[in-house]
Amino acid sequence: MKIRKRDKGSKVVLGITLIFLSVLIAVPAMGGPAKELSLLIVSHFVPPFETEVEAQAQQWMKERPDVKVTIDWVGTEEQAATLLAEAESGSGHDIVNLESFDSALFRRSLLPLDDVAEELAAENGGWTQAKREIGYVDGRWVAVPWFIHTFVAVYRTDYFQQIGVDREMGSRATWDDMLVWAEKLAAIDHPIGIPVGSNNDSDCSVGPLLWSFGGATVNREGEVTIDSPETVAALEYSKKLFQYMPKAVFGWTAGGDNNVFMLSGYGSWTMNPPSIYASALKSVPDVAKYLDHVRTPAGPDGRFRSGSVWSLGVWNYSPNPELAREFIKFLMRKDNWYAQLVASAGYNQPVLKDYQAHPIWRDRKSLNQYEPMQETLHMMGWKYGPSAAGKKTFNLHIVPIMFAKATTDGVQAAIEWAETELKTLWKEELRK
Amino acid sequence: MIGVQQKKLAYLMVAPVVIILCSLIGFPLGYAVFLSFTVKHIGVPPQFVGIQNYVELVHSSIFRLTVLNTFIYTFISVLVKVILGVILALILNRIGRGQRALRGVLLLPWVIPTALSALVWWWMYSELFGIINWTLMRTVVPQGIPWLSTPFWARCALIITNVWRGLPFFAITFLAGIIAIPVDLMDAVSIDGAGAIAKVRYVTLPLLAPLLSIVTLFSLVMTAGDFALVHIITHGGPQNTTHLFATLAQQIGFKGGSLGKGAAISLFIVPFLGVSAYLILKFVRKRIV
Amino acid sequence: MTKGRIQTFLKRNWAYFALVPFVLFTLFPFAWMAMTSIETDEELYDMSGNAFILEKGATSSHYLFLLTKTLFKTWFANSLIVSSVVVLITILISIPAAYSLARIKFPGASTIGTGIFLTYLIPPTLLFIPLYTVVTFLRTANSLLSLIVTYPTFTIPFSTWLLIGFFSNLPRELEEAAMIDGASWLQSLVKIVLPLSIPGVITSVIFCFTASWGHLIYALAFVSRSSQQTLPVALISKLIRGDVFFWGALMAAGLLASVPVVIIYAFLLDYYVAGLTKGAMKF
């Protein structure tokens, strides 16, 4: 009798185990619809842009009723984790949205899109200067640049007026001018603020400062060249400039800090894409009416800009490469790209020369120096091309930390530190 | 009294756990260990390089700083949580009316997803606009505190937030421990004329010791492996002085594409975990058997 | 009041006063969240006035935005589903396992116990890349199922270990008596041991629910479809756009996201304390 009962118990447990295992096995057997094109796109700081792209996808589906397009919009953190997980497991979406040197990082998992890129360039007057920075890796187009967001000088017209600087002067500014103005602005308690912390904004802000003095992390061959008289000059200069900024800039992190700095009406100048302006229009119109954008300041070696180039890539294991190519071309088509531009309120900058003709930037005075860009555009990792080491230099915020170290540990110590770290990163790159 | 049938049944009942853990943790963990001995870039097979990743890490200044950061962060956070946790538990134990409500309220920080509470703290720590400095500048510290821009204060900020999040768990667990101490034991000590502090020192704390050490070791492991707090509040800054293993591994391995090195950074914590585990197990075994 | 009465009053109620700093420390961030969630955007960025006073009045716009313009309700439901199912799976699997490991000294029992414990110590930051391969193999990527499959990796070890502590702490005599009366071993688990271990089970439920509710890393890497996301990930993805933070909505969401768990706690807390008393104390 006892044994029988025990048997019953075993059966129950066995049953539960079997059910669980069969669920595990049965789930993979369930298949999805036949032709599905899926996209992973990073969410846009102007939400109507997403609505427009969704609408365009619907329109495309009308032309191609056999295909279902799904778009997943994700945050930047999520994009990084998802791309890695997908590339390593050879699964996931068909088209992925890549940020700047992601193209280099994932080049071995991306489908060459030379035909798409060359066709687009031939039809639309060629690429703007964004081209050589992105997508074109090891002699192949591994991603098609879509649009760019760059860091321009964001300033308060009223505060600058108080110290006697108008838009014309502001747009011709050199870093030496900035030094003089920064002191005056600090005196009226509306200081300037450049992020010099562990975040992406910092790289996009101090990178152009370093380059405009002639410094660079590496040369064209990928040899570390940070220890140079030009870097010393940039750091010596920054020590003078930074004393007029709030100390908080060294702790600015998640990217929202310099936005609040300007939105609060406290700060008078920072470097950022027009996202601050977009927020101000929505939340604090009293601040928005005094915000304007001009070119970044020039140094002895010129005027530079940095930012994010957003491109579209296709995983080389995607089951729908032809559909993906077609849809990318569709999104890049002039009428569609223009509609996206308008939805983005003018913040998407073009990568194709002909698209620079859109009137939106001329019509909106505050954006007429944002685009067309008059500065030289580069990404952290220049003067080498797109590279994983460049991406790591950016992720680890080596350059902003060097600038911060220069103020605490001295210029030489900062350069030595940066050189050691950079050499480790570039050694890995050249191993290939 | 345990027959063959029961042994079979026992294996059967343990089997699901073993199967799930082996397939979902065993394989990934083994793979991660393997990766740490390779150079692995995204989309290509790994190349075996022996202990090269570990050697390079030991020579990296950022990594050495990370080891120091992790030690400071973990040690101080856990210490403060234990001390404040015991004090809070002792106080709570003295509260009759409203204890249930207060327990609930005090548990809130543990309940809210860390990703969201970390954002609130980041917003409050903001040096120019945060409510903490706003209050301090109008009261006791006119120049404000450089919360996130100096290494010392950035570490303080993270430790404070970690304590805030972890204290409820410590206090409530200790409270449970204190409640479990037999009342007659306390009464006997009272009759002997022991004062309140002496009671805590000679009765409560010794009886609480087992629970204290378990919670402490669990917390050491969890704190050393922390990610979300640091990632959101400081991003490892200023000047890398708050990076922990998990955040550095994320920056180098996951976002930088050096999967081998990322795995090596994550695994560096294993000896630390191993020692903790050994201590816990040694302690716990004694209790179970 | 005389001096003596004041002294008696203080003596009787000192604990309440001593608790004040702790309660302030605990609740301040929540109060700040509540305030930010009803603050107008304009005032949020206006640092000139008194930070503690809503000079421009309160607004419900952030809550409305969250509830009508986002998928908040879906995300909430997703989190609830994932956490509940994970808790269910965890409990169903860990109870029999823990009982066997605690009660039967079969060969390998202690090795398995140690193994289960060690897995608890492995940080999830390490595992998500290879785990994604498993998730893809099971064809669960980009769905709630991927989380339901992977979350047990951190809930089961904890739960099993906690329950081992509980079961081994119960007097064997009760089960032995039941078995002599003809009950099977499994019946004695269900009828005798479980009722006595309810606090332990509830403790385990609460831990697993909280851990699943707030988990970020797997959810971040495995699910990118908005309609399938859980709260923490969806909020971060949709309410932080590049460097633009939707502060009011984020704070409102933070409060709304902790409410259900707090309610569960309010009901279960008595068991929770009792549970820990029996389990953790006598591990």
Side-chain angles (χ1 to χ4, degrees):
Chain A
M1 191 63 193
K2 260 191 211 172
I3 290 168
R4 246 191 84 76
K5 277 190 181 164
R6 268 186 220 127
D7 272 346
K8 221 194 240 167
S10 318
K11 273 178 199 155
V12 171
V13 176
L14 189 68
I16 292 173
T17 316
L18 283 179
I19 288 169
F20 188 80
L21 287 176
S22 57
V23 167
L24 281 187
I25 294 161
V27 168
M30 301 187 297
K35 264 192 182 175
E36 195 184 317
L37 188 68
S38 58
L39 285 87
L40 182 80
I41 308 183
V42 174
S43 55
H44 198 284
F45 66 83
V46 187
F49 169 80
E50 296 176 12
T51 321
E52 176 59 34
V53 173
E54 291 278 3
Q56 290 181 10
Q58 291 298 326
Q59 193 196 326
W60 192 69
M61 278 151 67
K62 270 184 208 143
E63 293 165 23
R64 300 292 312 257
D66 53 326
V67 187
K68 187 176 183 304
V69 179
T70 51
I71 306 179
D72 293 329
W73 300 92
V74 296
T76 44
E77 292 304 320
E78 205 184 345
Q79 178 244 18
T82 310
L83 286 183
L84 184 56
E86 294 194 349
E88 278 299 295
S89 67
S91 62
H93 298 82
D94 298 296
I95 302 177
V96 288
N97 193 192
L98 303 160
E99 197 254 331
S100 301
F101 289 175
D102 282 344
S103 54
L105 210 54
F106 292 97
R107 62 181 177 269
R108 297 176 189 91
S109 306
L110 291 167
L111 190 72
L113 296 171
D114 300 275
D115 50 338
V116 181
E118 276 153 21
E119 189 184 320
L120 284 169
E123 286 170 8
N124 299 291
W127 300 98
T128 65
Q129 51 169 334
K131 169 231 160 147
R132 67 168 169 271
E133 292 290 346
I134 296 304
Y136 196 66
V137 186
D138 294 347
R140 305 218 67 169
W141 286 96
V142 294
V144 177
W146 188 8
F147 54 82
I148 50 182
H149 290 146
T150 56
F151 278 60
V152 65
V154 185
Y155 78 106
R156 283 283 296 240
T157 52
D158 50 344
Y159 301 151
F160 271 75
Q161 210 157 31
Q162 278 184 47
I163 62 157
V165 178
D166 60 19
R167 188 171 205 260
E168 175 57 26
M169 291 164 74
S171 68
R172 279 189 282 110
T174 63
W175 284 110
D176 286 335
D177 295 331
M178 280 311 297
L179 192 57
V180 177
W181 300 341
E183 188 180 358
K184 290 183 183 165
L185 289 161
I188 60 169
D189 201 24
H190 289 294
I192 71 162
I194 301 173
V196 199
S198 294
N199 69 343
N200 298 351
D201 285 19
S202 299
D203 286 84
C204 295
S205 303
V206 299
L209 169 60
L210 174 69
W211 302 329
S212 72
F213 278 80
T217 52
V218 284
N219 62 16
R220 277 173 221 289
E221 282 71 47
E223 293 156 353
V224 175
T225 57
I226 194 71
D227 191 2
S228 67
E230 289 81 12
T231 308
V232 173
L235 292 180
E236 290 293 355
Y237 167 81
S238 72
K239 278 171 72 177
K240 282 184 266 171
L241 182 69
F242 291 177
Q243 62 180 323
Y244 301 119
M245 305 195 309
K247 292 283 165 286
V249 298
F250 297 107
W252 281 355
T253 53
D257 292 275
N258 64 337
N259 294 40
V260 183
F261 180 66
M262 297 303 289
L263 292 173
S264 65
Y266 177 61
S268 57
W269 188 94
T270 192
M271 286 165 85
N272 212 71
S275 52
I276 296 180
Y277 183 59
S279 295
L281 280 177
K282 185 171 146 277
S283 306
V284 266
D286 282 350
V287 170
K289 65 184 180 213
Y290 293 117
L291 284 182
D292 202 353
H293 305 91
V294 289
R295 297 185 296 174
T296 60
D301 231 52
R303 221 180 270 280
F304 291 84
R305 218 190 265 191
S306 194
S308 297
V309 179
W310 295 100
S311 50
L312 295 168
V314 180
W315 291 132
N316 57 16
Y317 48 77
S318 158
N320 307 307
E322 285 318 311
L323 286 177
R325 282 188 164 90
E326 210 178 300
F327 191 65
I328 291 177
K329 277 192 252 177
F330 177 77
L331 285 178
M332 292 296 292
R333 214 168 71 190
K334 194 173 207 169
D335 54 341
N336 286 333
W337 199 92
Y338 275 2
Q340 296 158 20
L341 167 66
V342 173
S344 82
Y347 304 133
N348 289 356
Q349 294 172 266
V351 287
L352 289 162
K353 277 202 183 121
D354 283 358
Y355 295 1
Q356 289 178 320
H358 197 280
I360 193 166
W361 300 291
R362 265 166 301 162
D363 294 350
R364 295 182 59 185
K365 189 179 154 253
S366 72
L367 292 180
N368 69 5
Q369 294 199 11
Y370 175 61
E371 176 67 37
M373 215 186 318
Q374 295 155 41
E375 300 95 318
T376 314
L377 177 76
H378 286 302
M379 301 293 136
M380 196 53 78
W382 179 67
K383 301 169 180 177
Y384 195 75
S387 62
K391 179 85 183 170
K392 278 181 251 187
T393 310
F394 183 74
N395 282 339
L396 290 170
H397 314 299
I398 306 266
V399 172
I401 290 174
M402 176 182 76
F403 273 85
K405 271 195 192 300
T407 66
T408 55
D409 306 357
V411 169
Q412 267 317 315
I415 293 179
E416 270 165 40
W417 175 84
E419 188 174 31
T420 315
E421 295 303 327
L422 286 169
K423 278 186 172 159
T424 315
L425 300 183
W426 283 92
K427 205 175 90 196
E428 285 169 20
E429 177 75 17
L430 298 174
R431 248 181 230 151
K432 284 203 174 144
Chain B
M1 71 152 263
I2 293 159
V4 179
Q5 282 289 336
Q6 280 184 348
K7 263 188 199 162
K8 264 194 205 160
L9 185 59
Y11 279 121
L12 209 56
M13 299 206 323
V14 179
V17 176
V18 175
I19 291 171
I20 288 177
L21 293 184
C22 281
S23 57
L24 292 180
I25 291 188
F27 156 66
L29 182 65
Y31 184 67
V33 172
F34 167 67
L35 272 190
S36 75
F37 295 108
T38 66
V39 168
K40 166 84 176 86
H41 294 292
I42 300 162
V44 282
Q47 285 175 301
F48 190 78
V49 292
I51 58 165
Q52 182 186 301
N53 286 326
Y54 292 96
V55 172
E56 283 181 7
L57 282 180
V58 171
H59 287 102
S60 149
S61 69
I62 295 184
F63 183 75
R64 285 199 302 249
L65 190 55
T66 301
V67 174
L68 177 73
N69 297 339
T70 309
F71 181 78
I72 294 176
Y73 176 69
T74 308
F75 185 75
I76 299 182
S77 300
V78 173
L79 189 71
V80 175
K81 278 186 280 191
V82 169
I83 294 172
L84 288 183
V86 170
I87 294 174
L88 181 53
L90 288 170
I91 296 173
L92 270 176
N93 190 40
R94 303 296 299 182
I95 285 189
R97 252 178 66 176
Q99 200 206 52
R100 186 189 290 187
L102 281 166
R103 279 192 315 229
V105 162
L106 288 169
L107 267 171
L108 267 170
W110 187 58
V111 172
I112 183 168
T114 307
L116 294 169
S117 56
L119 272 175
V120 186
W121 278 98
W122 174 65
W123 181 236
M124 297 200 305
Y125 281 132
S126 168
E127 282 173 50
L128 295 170
F129 311 111
I131 187 61
I132 299 178
N133 265 3
W134 189 91
T135 312
L136 289 176
M137 284 160 82
R138 276 158 187 77
T139 51
V140 280
V141 195
Q143 72 277 22
I145 287 178
W147 283 111
L148 301 177
S149 63
T150 52
F152 175 79
W153 287 107
R155 284 170 176 159
C156 287
L158 288 176
I159 289 169
I160 291 172
T161 312
N162 182 288
V163 168
W164 176 81
R165 185 188 56 180
L167 183 60
F169 173 57
F170 274 70
I172 293 294
T173 316
F174 292 159
L175 176 65
I178 292 171
I179 293 172
I181 295 171
V183 183
D184 37 343
L185 189 61
M186 279 297 185
D187 290 346
V189 183
S190 291
I191 291 164
D192 287 349
I197 293 173
K199 257 200 272 184
V200 169
R201 169 78 181 75
Y202 295 107
V203 183
T204 314
L205 283 185
L207 284 172
L208 215 51
L211 187 57
L212 264 170
S213 33
I214 284 177
V215 175
T216 305
L217 287 169
F218 263 117
S219 179
L220 276 178
V221 171
M222 290 296 107
T223 310
D226 214 344
F227 173 77
L229 272 190
V230 177
H231 183 67
I232 289 174
I233 295 179
T234 67
H235 254 245
Q239 296 183 26
N240 297 320
T241 50
T242 57
H243 258 309
L244 304 180
F245 288 111
T247 54
L248 188 71
Q250 194 248 10
Q251 299 262 289
I252 288 184
F254 310 155
K255 287 186 95 176
S258 302
L259 301 184
K261 194 167 266 184
I265 295 171
S266 307
L267 287 169
F268 231 95
I269 205 174
V270 166
F272 177 83
L273 296 180
V275 173
S276 313
Y278 173 76
L279 292 173
I280 299 175
L281 288 176
K282 208 176 124 187
F283 187 85
V284 170
R285 280 245 179 74
K286 243 192 285 174
R287 304 238 117 211
I288 284 191
V289 179
Chain C
M1 253 198 270
T2 63
K3 205 181 163 193
R5 281 176 65 188
I6 292 174
Q7 264 180 352
T8 332
F9 176 78
L10 282 178
K11 213 171 175 183
R12 216 173 267 162
N13 296 297
W14 68 268
Y16 289 94
F17 294 105
L19 210 56
V20 170
F22 285 102
V23 172
L24 282 181
F25 178 51
T26 303
L27 284 190
F28 186 76
F30 286 96
W32 196 242
M33 285 172 89
M35 188 164 146
T36 308
S37 73
I38 53 168
E39 201 170 12
T40 60
D41 275 339
E42 210 172 346
E43 187 165 358
L44 183 71
Y45 294 117
D46 181 8
M47 310 292 169
S48 56
N50 187 328
F52 287 101
I53 296 170
L54 294 178
E55 278 146 7
K56 300 205 169 88
T59 172
S60 59
S61 62
H62 302 306
Y63 286 93
L64 284 176
F65 171 80
L66 198 64
L67 295 172
T68 59
K69 296 272 159 56
T70 72
L71 294 176
F72 184 83
K73 280 174 272 186
T74 311
W75 301 329
F76 194 97
N78 288 346
S79 275
L80 211 57
I81 292 169
V82 169
S83 305
S84 310
V85 175
V86 166
V87 165
L88 198 68
I89 292 176
T90 306
I91 292 302
L92 280 179
I93 288 180
S94 59
I95 286 180
Y99 186 59
S100 306
L101 288 169
R103 274 291 185 261
I104 304 178
K105 297 283 161 284
F106 59 93
S110 84
T111 316
I112 294 174
T114 311
I116 291 172
F117 185 83
L118 285 175
T119 56
Y120 179 66
L121 304 179
I122 298 157
T125 29
L126 184 65
L127 296 180
F128 88 88
I129 302 171
L131 251 189
Y132 190 76
T133 311
V134 179
V135 166
T136 333
F137 170 74
L138 297 172
R139 290 226 198 147
T140 57
N142 221 350
S143 76
L144 288 185
L145 268 177
S146 66
L147 306 182
I148 292 173
V149 169
T150 50
Y151 282 9
T153 57
F154 54 82
T155 55
I156 287 181
F158 183 86
S159 174
T160 309
W161 197 254
L162 189 82
L163 290 172
I164 290 177
F166 271 94
F167 293 150
S168 52
N169 195 37
L170 293 173
R172 271 166 198 268
E173 292 76 18
L174 288 170
E175 292 152 79
E176 280 164 14
M179 284 192 197
I180 288 165
D181 289 347
S184 81
W185 191 65
L186 204 68
Q187 277 175 326
S188 80
L189 166 64
V190 176
K191 296 216 172 108
I192 311 285
V193 178
L194 272 188
L196 285 172
S197 312
I198 281 178
V201 174
I202 284 175
T203 310
S204 175
V205 165
I206 285 174
F207 268 101
C208 298
F209 193 92
T210 313
S212 309
W213 188 256
H215 188 82
L216 192 61
I217 291 172
Y218 295 160
L220 206 61
F222 300 162
V223 185
S224 49
R225 187 142 306 166
S226 200
S227 62
Q228 296 284 309
Q229 280 178 324
T230 51
L231 270 178
V233 174
L235 293 174
I236 287 176
S237 292
K238 297 295 174 306
L239 301 180
I240 302 176
R241 291 168 175 277
D243 55 357
V244 179
F245 288 66
F246 292 64
W247 279 113
L250 273 170
M251 298 298 103
L255 285 178
L256 294 181
S258 34
V259 166
V261 191
V262 166
I263 290 173
I264 294 172
Y265 272 59
F267 282 111
L268 298 181
L269 210 60
D270 291 338
Y271 291 109
Y272 174 62
V273 171
L276 281 175
T277 314
K278 283 210 180 86
M281 189 61 185
K282 289 153 195 168
F283 243 15

